[in-house]
Amino acid sequence: LTPRVSRRAVSSAVCAAGFATAFVFAVVLDDRSPRGAAIVADSIFRDRWAALAQVIVAGCGFVAVLISYGERMREDDGRALPNFMMQALRGEPLTVYGDGSQTRSLCYVSDTVEGLFRLMFSDETGPVNIGNPEEISMKELAEKIIQITESKSSIVFDPLPQDDPTRRCPDISKAVSRLGWRPRVTLREGLTKVVPYFKSKAKRSSFVRTVAD
């Protein structure tokens, strides 16, 4: 069984020194990605890359990155955070699905990158979860973004999609104990950091709409 992995979902980092080569594969799992594929991919990547490189594999790690965010995100990728940001900055109602009680855990990009580097330069083979274990409901996230952006937007509720998970929270105990890593940027700090980026995107999209009209 070979999991179907998209270009957006997989990134790899290679570190070579003498006869030893270390491979770290990061699989970004979005809300619809089956976590079972990560376990299968771990074994497949190790075996196939070791055979391809024909070198002594000094270390091989597999990391699951759960819901990372930051500047340079696509504002139209369909995820909750960029959707909420763009709607709030445009003064549009924020669309929350279901009653908004479903939770997510959001990790700021600088924390994610630090976790990946710590794994890359460690002897840990994984799999290791890199993410933020602090959960927030979608309704609370929408309210927080309205507050941080000082928006006058309201919240509207649409039917919950059938495949929408009710909870997403990583167990980072292995990252803490084996890598000495844990996220340091709070959600409020991270959201405040990305507001200027999304403001520029909202202004640009408003300009494009005006020109088109």
Side-chain angles (χ1 to χ4, degrees), residues 33-67:
S33 297
R35 184 164 184 192
I39 307 301
V40 179
D42 184 24
S43 175
I44 292 173
F45 285 150
R46 286 195 232 184
D47 294 344
R48 293 189 180 179
W49 275 97
L52 179 64
Q54 295 182 347
V55 296
I56 300 173
V57 177
C60 190
F62 185 79
V63 55
V65 181
L66 289 94
I67 314 187

Side-chain angles (χ1 to χ4, degrees), residues 64 97 168:
Y97 294 99
R168 179 61 59 82

Side-chain angles (χ1 to χ4, degrees), residues 36 40 43 70 75 100 105 114 126 146 157 171 188-189 191 196 208 212:
V40 179
S43 175
E75 74 276 15
S105 303
E114 182 186 348
I146 289 173
F157 297 89
D171 177 0
R188 173 169 287 276
E189 290 171 343
L191 293 177
V208 171

Side-chain angles (χ1 to χ4, degrees), residues 66 72 112 132 150-151 193 213:
L66 289 94
R72 302 180 69 86
T112 301
N132 194 323
E150 299 181 343
S151 174
K193 287 174 182 287
D213 293 341

